[in-house]
Amino acid sequence: MKRTGAVVAAVVIGASVVLEIVYRHHGHPVFWWQATPVFDFVYGIAGCLALVLGAKWLGRAWLQRDHLYTDEDEAA
Amino acid sequence: MSALHPAFVLFVTACVATAARGILRQITLLAGTLATLWTVWELDATASLSWALPNYTLHVLRVDALSHVFGLIFSLIACIGVLYALHVRRGGEHAATLVYAGGGLGVVFAGDWITLFVFWELMAVASLFVVWFGGTAQSQAAGYRYLLVHIFGGSLLFCGILIHLLHGGEITLAALTRSETPDAAFWLILLGVVINAAVPPLHAWLTDAYPEAAVTGSVFLSAFTTKTAVYVLIRLFPGAEVLLWAGVIMTLYGVVYAILENDIRRLLAYHIVSQVGYMVAAVGMGTALALNGSGAHAFCHILYKALLFMGAGAVIQATGKRKLSDLGGLSRAMPVVFGLYMVAALSISGVPLFNGFTSKSMIVSAAAEAHLPLPELLLTLAGVGTFLSVGLKLPYFTFMGDDRGLSPQRLPLNMLLAMGAGAFLCVWLGLFPQALYERLPFAAEYHPFTVDHVVSSLQLLTGTGLAFWWLLDRFHRETTLTLDTDWFYRRPLQAVFAHLIALARQAGTVLEAARASVLQALLPYARNPYLVPDRLTGVPLHLPPIDDDALPDGDRLVYDENRYRLPIGATVMWIVVFLAGLALVVFVAA
């Protein structure tokens, strides 16, 4: 399962980078990151890490509780 | 040209379906919703329905491209939702969902403020019953909180409408952002609408109530309330800058909470907040492309979100479990549900060739086109979070992961058929987005399948997938409750209410005691009015006996109330007759 995922990811990234380089002059980038190859791949990894770690930290520090409301709601 | 209002067709269907039983009810439900879809399909700009009142003419039906595209998706999802719920025997639930859908259609085809408000409130009431048909103590409690918030929102909207009309505003609906300076009416109406759009911190009613409805009811809930609010925002507040940032915050707010969530339907509900954020942000951008994107995303979102709720509902119905910590390894036992759920999950994540890609990328492109770098980056980041929670976390822990040895029950065929229909539409619109694009109201050209868009989307999703795989161990299931803004009205506000109620009860007890003592003091005088002059003057009243029965009691006369009952009663009767006659004369003369 993990190996299949890794192969699919590698193929997608490889193909997309080739496409990005071949079709570089066809797009209409507005911002610099739209013209930077593999930016979205890096942004996906970094964004996912930031969201998960940020949300977990926020949860531990503040948002997540064992008890919040009445017994009836805690049974939910 | 006078036309049949599609909401009317749904209301008639609701009445007939409630009265009918068995197969007859099922035929009524399907035929009625299909007839509604056909009625909407046949509507064009010439169709109208007006109702002249003394001061205003109400435009109950007004059709343009914007209302038509929302009307189409609302009637379409009513068909799919009814098919999904076809096995449900509670007639009341069918009636509530159909009236709710009819209210949604009423709002999008409303041409004036009064009609809009009436259907808006009808939706609130009907959807409350949809929540209550969850049939649990939790759904009842959540329903009351839902009611509280929507009464508040409806009141704000109504106050805004009244101020708007009092200031000489038009009765017909028109964009409020065209006027020079926003007034009190602008802000009140905006606030009333964004409560229904579930903009944080006014969103908690949604994530509180939607997961508590019946599995069939939450499919309808996911479609109508927030999307009618988006429709009203597009109609009334295009280009309101405050909405841009409210929308961007929404997208990330929902994503962060979804990461912490354990209940599968509540997780999906947080992603309603997140997805509606894209639409709200697009309304805030206000360009033709952005507004088209908002409408298109509402259209696609209704389809894939209903399919997600149908998938989650199928899991809950089959296993009786609703938390990720109780689920796992269902892909072998429920492969069809898994497959159909994944179609919706890939759609919401914006994978090319699925419908979410065709509309979400339009909004992100609109942000770039409008030169809004930070919103563009943050909306893209929210897309990462969407794939993470809905496309990876939820399906992994439900259908894969540790096998919990669950033995799911067989699902009714109609549920699977409805999911199949939803999945077909998600893929079809993903492959042929022009079918939707050509119905969009504003003049803007957009091509989704450019190398830029496709490559960017694939890279983003692959990156997210890899990071998820890497972090998988950190995703131990969350069994805690998450603090959200409903805390304010479930804890401090509830304490204030409880205090006020106790105060009112105390005042009532004091007043009751005072009333009793006053009555006690007056009682002797009511029994014998002759006592009044007696007590006032201190001199006992001496009156001759009226007849032989009234024997003097010592020096005083005994008062016999029966002696006066008839004459007083007769007088009162004649007064009533006279007043009734007078009222009749006034009524006839008027």
Side-chain angles (χ1 to χ4, degrees), chain B residues 297 304 346-362 430 437 446 448-450 453-454 457-458:
Chain B
H297 202 48
Y304 62 64
L346 297 177
S347 297
I348 192 176
S349 306
V351 175
L353 307 182
F354 293 90
N355 70 352
F357 171 77
T358 64
S359 55
K360 195 195 285 185
S361 66
M362 196 190 273
Y437 288 173
Y446 180 69
F449 298 118
T450 62
H453 293 151
V454 174
S457 171
L458 287 178

Side-chain angles (χ1 to χ4, degrees), chain B residues 307-308 311 315 330-347 354 395 399-400 416 419-420 422-424 426-427:
Chain B
L307 183 51
L308 288 170
V315 168
L330 285 172
S331 62
R332 288 228 180 97
M334 305 179 78
V336 178
V337 173
F338 179 40
L340 294 171
Y341 172 89
M342 282 316 293
V343 171
L346 297 177
S347 297
F354 293 90
F399 297 103
M400 297 155 89
L416 297 176
M419 291 180 71
F424 169 77
C426 284
V427 175

Side-chain angles (χ1 to χ4, degrees), chain A residues 5-73:
Chain A
V7 170
V8 170
V11 169
V12 169
I13 294 305
S16 68
V17 170
V18 170
L19 279 173
E20 242 176 353
I21 292 165
V22 172
Y23 286 90
R24 192 164 27 178
H25 305 294
H26 292 256
H28 309 284
V30 179
F31 308 120
W32 61 262
W33 54 84
Q34 292 175 328
T36 311
V38 288
F39 173 83
D40 287 290
F41 179 62
V42 176
Y43 192 57
I45 294 177
C48 186
L49 290 176
L51 280 175
V52 173
L53 300 178
K56 295 275 173 185
W57 173 78
L58 210 58
R60 297 281 173 273
W62 184 29
L63 297 175
Q64 287 183 303
R65 311 289 169 99
D66 290 324
H67 302 285
L68 264 179
Y69 307 116
T70 58
D71 299 339
E72 166 246 314
D73 294 306

Side-chain angles (χ1 to χ4, degrees), chain B residues 54-67:
Chain B
N55 291 328
Y56 299 114
T57 300
L58 301 187
H59 304 285
V60 182
L61 181 71
R62 183 184 71 172
V63 186
D64 59 14
L66 178 62
S67 54

Side-chain angles (χ1 to χ4, degrees), chain B residues 425-493:
Chain B
L425 288 168
C426 284
V427 175
W428 188 69
L429 277 177
L431 294 173
F432 308 105
Q434 281 307 328
L436 173 60
Y437 288 173
E438 65 196 20
R439 300 187 170 277
L440 294 176
F442 303 98
E445 208 176 328
Y446 180 69
H447 303 285
F449 298 118
T450 62
V451 175
D452 279 359
H453 293 151
V454 174
V455 161
S456 151
S457 171
L458 287 178
Q459 286 192 1
L460 197 73
L461 296 173
T462 313
T464 310
L466 285 180
F468 172 78
W469 224 251
W470 189 35
L471 289 172
L472 197 54
D473 295 337
R474 281 184 167 266
F475 273 97
H476 48 83
R477 296 157 167 110
E478 310 282 353
T479 53
T480 48
L481 294 170
T482 312
L483 187 67
D484 203 345
T485 53
D486 55 344
W487 181 82
F488 286 103
Y489 54 82
R490 294 178 72 165
R491 274 290 162 93
L493 201 61

